[in-house]
Amino acid sequence: MSLPSLFTVVGIFLTKNHTLKIGKKKMAAIGYIGAAVSLILIYAVGQTMGYANIPLLLILHCVYGFFCFSFPIPMAMIPDAINYQEDRTGIRSDGISYATVSLSTKFGSAFGVSGALLIMGATGYVANAQQTASALNGINLTVNLIFGIIYLCCLIPLHFDPLSEEKCAEIIYSLDRKRDAANQ
């Protein structure tokens, strides 16, 4: 289970320069799609071939981990959103922005884990016991297919994000001009 985490570090290291060149929004989309496809393939392998094809499952987990290079990108997009809001309204809202992200993370962790446990319980999962085929399918559904679909759902708000790298540069230039004018 440590392979995805290890390959996330590798992915971040290998893609950090691409994020600067291609842009945060496009790289986040690439990461979300890659992670989703990997998880859905892991689910499909478990459903069709069973769990005996360990080398294939390990490779898919490594691929999934690599595409998780997108994990830190949304946090890097928050300052862009704060600048965008300040340019539009004249009010800088760093505190409320980061508090909202923190609260949404807490809600997501609480409800996500609760939902996953409900699904696993409904499919027959019993802690500290040999799992039935139904329970194994429930675990596979919960941790692979559902999370793969959630990654694809992340593309929806990303699509509506109006900020490109060029737009962010224009906003910073505009804010610098406004600050210079206010200081004179």
Side-chain angles (χ1 to χ4, degrees), residues 11 22 29 32 34 37 39-40 43 45 51 57 69 77 92 95 100-101 103 105 107 124 128 131 134 144 156 162-163:
I22 296 173
Y32 296 158
V37 169
L39 287 174
I40 292 168
Y43 172 79
V45 167
Y51 307 103
L57 290 170
F69 68 78
M77 295 171 81
R92 188 155 184 91
T100 302
V101 169
L103 183 62
T105 301
F107 275 127
N128 301 318
Q131 301 304 318
S134 174
N144 295 313
I156 296 168
L163 302 176

Side-chain angles (χ1 to χ4, degrees), residues 42 45 49 53-61:
I42 292 168
V45 167
M49 296 182 201
N53 195 340
I54 300 299
L56 178 58
L57 290 170
L58 289 175
I59 290 168
L60 287 171
H61 276 87

Side-chain angles (χ1 to χ4, degrees), residues 4-20 27 31 62-74 76:
S5 297
L6 175 66
F7 275 83
T8 297
V9 173
V10 171
I12 290 170
F13 180 75
L14 293 176
T15 62
K16 64 182 177 177
N17 292 333
H18 296 291
T19 302
L20 297 173
M27 286 300 288
C62 291
V63 171
Y64 163 68
F66 176 83
F67 280 106
C68 288
F69 68 78
S70 60
F71 279 3
I73 295 174

Side-chain angles (χ1 to χ4, degrees), residues 115-173:
L117 290 174
L118 284 172
I119 293 168
M120 288 169 50
T123 57
Y125 175 80
V126 177
N128 301 318
Q130 180 68 32
Q131 301 304 318
T132 65
S134 174
L136 290 174
N137 287 334
I139 293 168
N140 189 22
L141 172 80
T142 303
V143 301
N144 295 313
L145 183 62
I146 291 175
F147 277 98
I149 292 168
I150 290 171
Y151 270 113
L152 293 175
C153 289
C154 291
L155 295 170
I156 296 168
L158 197 61
H159 172 75
F160 291 105
D161 178 17
L163 302 176
S164 63
E165 301 304 311
E166 297 80 22
K167 178 75 173 171
C168 289
E170 290 171 16
I171 290 169
I172 289 172
Y173 178 74

Side-chain angles (χ1 to χ4, degrees), residues 80-103:
D80 299 337
I82 293 168
N83 288 340
Y84 177 68
Q85 181 68 13
E86 181 183 6
D87 192 45
R88 290 179 58 224
T89 66
I91 300 169
R92 188 155 184 91
S93 57
D94 297 57
I96 192 78
S97 299
Y98 283 104
T100 302
V101 169
S102 177
L103 183 62

